[in-house]
Amino acid sequence: MDQQPLFVKMAVDGWNQQIKATNNMLGKITDEQLRNEISPGKNRGIYLLGHLVAIHDLMLPLLRFEPALYPELVPIFIEAPDKTIADLPSVGQLREQWTTVNDKLSAHINSLTPADWFTRHASVSEEDFAKEPHRNRLNVLMGRTSHLANHRGQLVLLVPKS
Amino acid sequence: MDQQPLFVKMAVDGWNQQIKATNNMLGKITDEQLRNEISPGKNRGIYLLGHLVAIHDLMLPLLRFEPALYPELVPIFIEAPDKTIADLPSVGQLREQWTTVNDKLSAHINSLTPADWFTRHASVSEEDFAKEPHRNRLNVLMGRTSHLANHRGQLVLLVPKS
């Protein structure tokens, strides 16, 4: 039995579950609540949302799909810590970008063949990849699934008690 | 090329990275700090640590390795929400159990053959597994990797600023 498609399904299912749970959660947090800190002195929800948009956007070139859509978010939400930059994009804009970038990713993810997933990601050279074949595109997806789970566990603290 | 060992390496590496990051983080939080809430009104660190021990302990039977070591933790840290049970195990005991259960898991994980990872986990019947082969032991490990990442993102809020 060819287990390559099976393994791709497992990894893609894991990704889709995290995206779905995150979207469900974001639907329960108002824009106003997203401007709050997740805990006193810690990151604000808006920063974490922007961070996730920026990281997912960079998956487009990292997975060799297409250029990033929003490279202007990198200095704000990846390179700078929260509360060091006064002018942030609005929560509404970040929500739209979050949906757009994940839809783009999803279209590429669904069109990639199982064999394509086991080719190199953009940050590893052909030479290094020959020696370290685990540094493939599917491994990026798995790593970003954990990254999303990590920050989802933080954003959920902003969901109001029902 | 047989990619089965490669998938297993990718998934096991992801698990090991989360365990390592969590242990590193727990080393920076005192027992006293673990008794604090991660955010006002939210779960305490001790509850999240106990929850992780209990869930990892249940992986022992779920992965068909061996019986759970600490089934007494289930009603306290899985079935009951935080702050509903007055008498909890000590933080010191939970830290020891955390190390013990992960060491046990690690020994089993390292001895399982790649083919064994793609056999069913304990909560799916032979009949259902024949139709849904993604419900295998490796998928459990991948799901628990995201589960750990999720709660690690919460526990990290207790790490004091250096």
Side-chain angles (χ1 to χ4, degrees):
Chain A
M1 175 183 169
D2 182 5
Q3 282 176 319
Q4 199 183 53
L6 181 64
F7 192 73
V8 170
K9 175 186 167 48
M10 288 158 58
V12 171
D13 280 356
W15 168 261
N16 286 335
Q17 283 162 17
Q18 289 299 326
I19 293 283
K20 187 177 172 185
T22 305
N23 287 341
N24 182 41
M25 175 191 71
L26 288 171
K28 296 177 186 166
I29 312 176
T30 66
D31 289 6
E32 186 63 34
Q33 288 160 346
L34 270 174
R35 283 187 282 270
N36 293 334
E37 295 172 332
I38 55 167
S39 184
K42 304 294 179 181
N43 288 330
R44 292 172 296 173
I46 184 176
Y47 179 83
L48 291 174
L49 176 58
H51 177 71
L52 287 172
V53 175
I55 291 287
H56 286 206
D57 190 42
L58 288 181
M59 289 172 69
L60 289 169
L62 185 57
L63 291 170
R64 300 195 282 117
F65 291 154
E66 61 177 287
L69 302 171
Y70 315 117
E72 67 277 9
L73 299 182
V74 172
I76 308 175
F77 294 112
I78 297 180
E79 294 169 0
D82 191 18
K83 300 168 220 170
T84 56
I85 293 180
D87 278 345
L88 297 187
S90 70
V91 170
Q93 180 187 316
L94 290 170
R95 284 188 194 265
E96 278 178 35
Q97 292 174 327
W98 172 247
T99 300
T100 301
V101 73
N102 289 327
D103 286 352
K104 278 262 187 201
L105 280 169
S106 187
H108 287 289
I109 285 169
N110 292 328
S111 68
L112 214 59
T113 67
D116 281 341
W117 278 109
F118 291 91
T119 60
R120 71 178 179 87
H121 61 68
S123 296
V124 61
S125 68
E126 299 275 10
E127 293 70 33
D128 288 346
F129 182 64
K131 287 172 276 179
E132 302 176 302
H134 62 280
R135 299 176 69 181
N136 55 51
R137 293 151 118 180
L138 197 62
N139 214 21
V140 169
L141 190 75
M142 290 165 65
R144 292 300 181 274
T145 299
S146 288
H147 178 263
L148 176 53
N150 184 287
H151 291 302
R152 183 168 70 81
Q154 300 177 328
L155 280 164
V156 78
L157 300 173
L158 295 176
V159 174
K161 284 180 185 164
S162 56
Chain B
M1 174 184 169
D2 182 6
Q3 281 176 319
Q4 201 184 49
L6 183 64
F7 310 155
V8 171
K9 176 185 166 49
M10 288 159 60
V12 171
D13 280 358
W15 168 261
N16 285 335
Q17 283 162 16
Q18 290 298 326
I19 293 283
K20 187 177 172 185
T22 304
N23 288 340
N24 182 40
M25 174 192 72
L26 288 172
K28 295 178 186 166
I29 311 175
T30 66
D31 290 5
E32 187 63 33
Q33 288 160 345
L34 270 174
R35 283 187 283 269
N36 292 335
E37 294 172 333
I38 54 168
S39 184
K42 303 295 179 181
N43 288 329
R44 291 171 296 172
I46 184 176
Y47 179 84
L48 291 173
L49 176 58
H51 177 72
L52 288 172
V53 175
I55 291 287
H56 286 206
D57 190 42
L58 288 181
M59 290 172 70
L60 289 169
L62 185 57
L63 291 170
R64 301 194 282 115
F65 290 154
E66 61 175 289
L69 302 172
Y70 316 117
E72 68 277 10
L73 299 182
V74 172
I76 308 175
F77 293 113
I78 297 181
E79 295 170 359
D82 191 17
K83 300 169 219 167
T84 58
I85 293 180
D87 277 346
L88 297 187
S90 70
V91 171
Q93 180 187 315
L94 291 171
R95 285 189 194 265
E96 279 180 34
Q97 290 174 329
W98 171 247
T99 301
T100 301
V101 73
N102 289 327
D103 286 352
K104 279 264 184 197
L105 280 169
S106 187
H108 286 290
I109 285 168
N110 292 329
S111 68
L112 214 60
T113 67
D116 282 340
W117 278 109
F118 289 91
T119 60
R120 70 178 180 89
H121 61 68
S123 296
V124 61
S125 68
E126 298 276 11
E127 293 70 32
D128 288 346
F129 182 64
K131 288 172 276 181
E132 302 176 303
H134 62 280
R135 299 174 69 181
N136 55 51
R137 292 151 118 180
L138 196 62
N139 212 22
V140 168
L141 190 77
M142 290 164 67
R144 293 301 181 273
T145 299
S146 288
H147 178 263
L148 176 53
N150 184 288
H151 291 303
R152 183 169 70 81
Q154 300 177 328
L155 280 164
V156 77
L157 301 172
L158 296 176
V159 174
K161 283 179 185 165
S162 56

